[in-house]
Amino acid sequence: MKQSLCCIFLLGISICACVTATKEDTQLAEAIQIQGEAFLMQGDYTAALSRLLEARKMRPEDPYILNSLGLAYMGKNRDDLAIPVFKTARALKPDYTEALNNLGAAHLRQKEWDLAIKAFKDVLEDLLYPTPQFPLSNLGRAYLEKQDYMQAETYFSQALDLSPGFVTAAHGLSVVFLETGRENDAIEFLTARLMENPESALLHADLARAYEAKGWTNEARQSWQNVLHYAQKNSELKKTAAKRLSALD
């Protein structure tokens, strides 16, 4: 559970680019950006990074290219490089809330909880942001990592109010219940959620842990069996379920 690029250098490049940019350069940069973002969608982060770095050379002050570049860095597990890129995108376009949300996500992955919290709270200031359940759930995660369970429960619950089928938030709230010794609340909550989303291996695993905490071995065994059935092949969750079933036999 609990579970840098130099801005001055970039600015220098952008001054030169503004002087020499042509319509053809802009169109080429857009085409390369589209290619890079297509690779992002496919999960080919190396190819995406190559294309987006090329696009940034052509249009260094384009916040959308920078945002996609930051996502490519995150895909390569280089959140340390993604953070300054998202910051630059936000500086170039102060109302670019998506870049701010991605900045918060990068801080979260870097375990910089307070910086992540600030970013996500700033995202929620944008009343037009279309998916507030994501920053709300991420706030819950950050507070959970800080062991501030009251705040974590508040934000996970708010995320679920907006999106009742949001498994990540449901998992987060389940962990809050388990971490605070509220196994009965976890069982009641997860039983209801699994009626709506019966194929969620993650929620079945949370329910199995709640049953184990209660000492209900038969129920725990059945829930781990459900995890084995629904979890992706070779996933860590599937391996965990196999280990727990072996331990319970």
Side-chain angles (χ1 to χ4, degrees):
M1 175 202 71
K2 295 183 178 175
Q3 343 169 11
S4 152
L5 298 176
C6 178
C7 294
I8 295 175
F9 177 69
L10 290 177
L11 199 56
I13 294 175
S14 70
I15 292 171
C16 296
C18 289
V19 173
T20 60
T22 66
K23 181 178 179 180
E24 290 75 15
D25 291 335
T26 298
Q27 291 174 339
L28 179 58
E30 289 176 350
I32 294 172
Q33 175 188 358
I34 289 170
Q35 290 177 348
E37 289 171 350
F39 284 125
L40 268 181
M41 294 294 292
Q42 296 167 17
D44 188 342
Y45 301 115
T46 299
L49 184 60
S50 175
R51 297 275 78 189
L52 291 165
L53 284 170
E54 186 175 352
R56 188 189 63 173
K57 289 180 182 178
M58 298 177 178
R59 298 180 65 183
E61 289 193 340
D62 186 317
Y64 301 103
I65 291 176
L66 291 170
N67 183 62
S68 295
L69 177 60
L71 292 174
Y73 279 132
M74 290 184 73
K76 297 288 289 182
N77 294 315
R78 289 304 306 269
D79 306 296
D80 58 317
L81 297 180
I83 286 170
V85 173
F86 290 135
K87 286 181 177 179
T88 302
R90 174 75 171 174
L92 290 167
K93 185 174 171 56
D95 63 347
Y96 195 5
T97 310
E98 189 61 44
L100 179 60
N101 187 66
N102 292 334
L103 174 63
H107 282 308
L108 195 64
R109 295 198 342 173
Q110 288 286 87
K111 299 184 179 181
E112 297 168 340
W113 313 127
D114 291 331
L115 291 174
I117 287 169
K118 183 182 185 309
F120 293 129
K121 285 185 174 181
D122 287 344
V123 170
L124 293 173
E125 291 296 315
D126 181 359
L127 299 182
L128 298 179
Y129 191 68
T131 53
Q133 65 269 28
F134 296 122
L136 284 168
S137 182
N138 283 330
L139 278 166
R141 163 74 187 282
Y143 279 113
L144 183 60
E145 295 289 354
K146 287 167 65 72
Q147 298 185 0
D148 187 338
Y149 298 116
M150 183 177 297
Q151 290 276 41
E153 181 174 354
T154 295
Y155 284 111
F156 284 132
S157 297
Q158 288 179 8
L160 288 167
D161 286 342
L162 292 176
S163 181
F166 190 10
V167 170
T168 300
H171 167 64
L173 187 54
S174 300
V175 173
V176 171
F177 291 148
L178 292 172
E179 287 290 316
T180 55
R182 296 158 61 189
E183 291 85 6
N184 289 335
D185 288 340
I187 291 169
E188 181 180 358
F189 170 75
L190 287 163
T191 300
R193 293 292 165 175
L194 283 164
M195 290 180 66
E196 302 167 358
N197 195 350
E199 298 183 4
S200 173
L202 184 58
L203 297 186
H204 279 296
D206 289 337
L207 183 57
R209 293 186 182 100
Y211 285 141
E212 284 201 54
K214 293 285 289 183
W216 298 357
T217 303
N218 290 335
E219 291 83 353
R221 186 180 292 112
Q222 180 57 58
S223 289
W224 285 123
Q225 288 285 3
N226 289 334
V227 176
L228 274 182
H229 180 72
Y230 292 116
Q232 292 184 353
K233 184 178 180 181
N234 297 324
S235 67
E236 287 302 316
L237 200 54
K238 202 177 192 77
K239 294 174 184 177
T240 298
K243 290 178 182 178
R244 294 309 308 150
L245 283 168
S246 178
L248 292 170
D249 284 340

